Amino acid sequence: MKYLDEYRDPVLARRLLADIHATAGHKWTIMEVCGGQTHTIVRQGIDELLPAGVRMIHGPGCPVCVTPLEMIDKALAIAARPDVIFTSFGDMLRVPGSATDLVSLKARGADVRVVYTPLDAVRIAAAHPDRQVVFFAVGFETTAPANAMAVLRAAALGLSNFSMLVSHVLVPPAMTAILDSADNEVQAFLAAGHVCAVMGWTEYEPIAARYRVPIVVTGFEPLDLLEGILMAVRQLEDGRHEVENQYARAVRRDGNTAARDAMRAVFQVSTRLWRGIGPIPASGLTLTPDFARFDAERRYGVAAVTADENPACIAGQILQGTKIPTDCTAYGTLCTPRHPLGAPMVSAEGTCAAFHNAGRS
Amino acid sequence: MIGVCLGIPGRVVELTDEGLRMGVVDFGGIRREVCLAYEPDAVVGDYVIVHVGFAISRVDEEEAARTLEVIRAIPDALETELGATGPIEDEPRETEPREAAGR
């Protein structure tokens, strides 16, 4: 496929690897933020081909993984109602809540449906005016414009039977939370290319300056990741800390203004609870007052639900990059993609699932 | 394509309007309906990055080519330092050899 295959060229990948080996003179620790990037790095073994001193840590950029347990429990409470058609991206269905998961609830008769796009949830609502349709809106800035459009469409169509369980998170506050942490080891970031396709990179400039960390906006194919790593290593070796854009074919400095405008109309910035990290101020999105009537938490009175994480799961440390999946005693034994204890083993973008699928032990 | 962060490049093959700017995008033979509201200037033939059924960016052909040129310009001499470094493989569904592409 055009714009995919050429960025997977093994000959060019070896040249980039050789250049990274020639450039890296010191020990460096780089975090790739996005779970899609983690997947490519682990699947292709890129981390194992880097110089011994260059270590990749896998960041919190898996939206399924950072969704807190209590939000899963809220989804389960809503999906169990007989009047509700609960719609979600497929990733969320196997994420374990405190007592069960959405796929088990579906097997017991709940009307849980996987959608490819949030607009499908709006279509289902329009086709079933006698039922309530709830969409589980998870994701980072990449997904927020799509979910915003679903709300705008539901409003335009006058649908009173559509609502959204919103669990949206933002990348820059998570990066600063990691940098502020006492045991932070991250010296440079590969920023998530598709988040930046929407948001641009201006909000990363103050982070790079304040924390003196290079931030390289990076794509998702092997050559993109290798070039992003090379650019980060060069900055580290030169003592620079700039925001650079590796993914120039898809990302502009100001991002996608139409998408951001829709996001801003529908969502406002709020405190969010991150799985394993805890609450981070101004780190997520909730519906603005104009669209609060679409808020499923209010509609179904689940806003006060809280939950305690499974103590056997070290998702929090995995998401902050302080541990890797093979450090976990449950990895591959008690916890597998078929029977996950925690979200990072469920999602295709989760670090534990990426390790397990690549056969790492 | 379920991954919540994943975006795939595809070619716009049809534009429609259902009160919302929509279109059909071809992903190497698989076609999907896509919302183009956030890429109002995209026309048939353009490549767009699609995420959960929405075009979030248009692929800039010049920048796409420039990235590859920059990587190709890395001197071959460095390759000898490492030799074959192993498993950078294409996705399993792709079978055609890509070895000639960088030469």
Side-chain angles (χ1 to χ4, degrees):
Chain A
M1 276 167 67
K2 195 176 178 191
Y3 298 124
L4 288 181
D5 295 352
E6 57 264 52
Y7 297 94
R8 295 173 180 174
D9 185 325
V11 174
L12 295 184
R14 279 198 291 274
R15 290 192 199 180
L16 282 166
L17 268 171
D19 207 353
I20 294 167
H21 278 258
T23 305
H26 301 83
K27 286 192 167 186
W28 302 116
T29 300
I30 303 169
M31 174 178 275
E32 87 278 3
V33 169
C34 176
Q37 295 170 328
T38 301
H39 180 83
T40 304
I41 287 171
V42 173
R43 181 193 177 105
Q44 305 290 349
I46 287 172
D47 50 341
E48 294 174 332
L49 298 170
L50 293 174
V54 177
R55 185 162 68 102
M56 299 303 298
I57 359 187
H58 314 302
C62 161
V64 175
C65 306
V66 300
T67 302
L69 186 62
E70 63 181 44
M71 194 56 79
I72 309 292
D73 286 352
K74 290 176 188 181
L76 290 163
I78 295 169
R81 296 173 60 104
D83 57 331
V84 165
I85 301 174
F86 193 85
T87 57
S88 168
F89 296 128
D91 289 36
M92 298 306 294
L93 261 63
R94 298 192 73 91
V95 179
S98 294
T100 181
D101 56 37
L102 285 166
V103 81
S104 305
L105 212 58
K106 181 179 169 67
R108 292 205 301 269
D111 196 343
V112 177
R113 304 186 190 182
V114 171
V115 292
Y116 161 68
T117 166
L119 291 181
D120 287 342
V122 178
R123 286 190 192 112
I124 292 169
H128 297 276
D130 53 324
R131 308 278 305 277
Q132 286 290 323
V133 175
V134 181
F135 177 68
F136 199 176
V138 299
F140 283 92
E141 293 93 324
T142 324
T143 318
N147 293 344
M149 184 59 79
V151 171
L152 293 170
R153 283 299 283 170
L157 297 171
L159 297 177
S160 59
N161 64 328
F162 177 82
S163 61
M164 217 175 234
L165 180 61
V166 180
S167 186
H168 260 291
V169 282
L170 302 170
V171 167
M175 286 166 65
T176 52
I178 288 165
L179 290 166
D180 283 332
S181 150
D183 41 359
N184 170 53
E185 296 173 43
V186 178
Q187 294 165 295
F189 285 100
L190 306 187
H194 291 146
V195 166
C196 297
V198 171
M199 301 302 289
W201 65 76
T202 52
E203 58 188 335
Y204 297 96
E205 287 168 345
I207 299 174
R210 180 175 159 208
Y211 294 92
R212 307 181 68 83
V213 285
I215 300 176
V216 181
V217 178
T218 304
F220 297 83
E221 297 307 314
L223 295 193
D224 292 321
L225 286 154
L226 287 165
E227 192 183 30
I229 293 166
L230 176 61
M231 290 163 79
V233 168
R234 269 197 200 128
Q235 284 205 47
L236 289 163
E237 291 287 342
D238 294 349
R240 289 180 290 129
H241 43 84
E242 299 160 12
V243 179
E244 291 182 300
N245 183 20
Q246 181 279 328
Y247 199 29
R249 66 186 182 280
V251 177
R252 287 54 165 180
R253 181 181 160 80
D254 294 320
N256 183 322
T257 43
R260 286 216 319 273
D261 288 348
M263 235 174 110
R264 243 182 250 125
V266 172
F267 295 118
Q268 60 189 11
V269 173
S270 66
T271 297
R272 276 280 171 206
L273 182 64
W274 292 58
R275 182 181 283 239
I277 298 176
I280 305 179
S283 70
L285 300 173
T286 47
L287 291 160
T288 56
D290 283 352
F291 295 98
R293 64 187 187 278
F294 293 102
D295 184 352
E297 280 197 60
R298 287 193 198 184
R299 193 172 292 194
Y300 299 104
V302 295
V305 169
T306 59
D308 294 319
E309 307 275 349
N310 185 329
C313 178
I314 61 165
Q317 289 143 297
I318 299 286
L319 290 168
Q320 291 177 87
T322 56
K323 286 205 171 155
I324 59 171
T326 47
D327 295 335
C328 177
T329 52
Y331 170 81
T333 53
L334 286 174
C335 183
T336 63
R338 282 195 68 80
H339 298 284
L341 285 185
M345 187 58 97
V346 179
S347 169
E349 296 161 302
T351 303
C352 300
F355 270 58
H356 198 271
N357 293 340
R360 295 202 181 176
S361 55
Chain B
M1 233 188 280
I2 303 284
V4 180
C5 247
L6 303 182
I8 312 278
R11 190 169 52 90
V12 178
V13 293
E14 196 183 320
L15 292 170
T16 56
D17 200 319
E18 311 167 4
L20 184 64
R21 194 178 150 82
M22 302 291 290
V24 176
V25 175
D26 181 287
F27 303 93
I30 298 166
R31 292 185 172 199
R32 283 273 193 180
E33 186 184 39
V34 164
C35 178
L36 291 156
Y38 299 137
E39 284 300 334
D41 301 326
V43 295
V44 169
D46 281 350
Y47 277 79
V48 290
I49 307 252
V50 177
H51 170 73
V52 298
F54 283 72
I56 54 167
S57 179
R58 245 187 313 165
V59 178
D60 183 323
E61 291 197 36
E62 281 178 28
E63 290 289 359
R66 210 173 63 85
T67 297
L68 288 174
E69 277 162 27
V70 167
I71 299 171
R72 285 186 188 128
I74 296 169
D76 264 341
L78 287 169
E79 268 182 69
T80 57
E81 192 176 311
L82 284 178
T85 45
I88 296 286
E89 288 166 5
D90 283 358
E91 300 287 321
R93 61 194 159 77
E94 288 150 9
T95 49
E96 81 269 40
R98 305 290 308 173
E99 295 297 317
R103 303 289 179 191

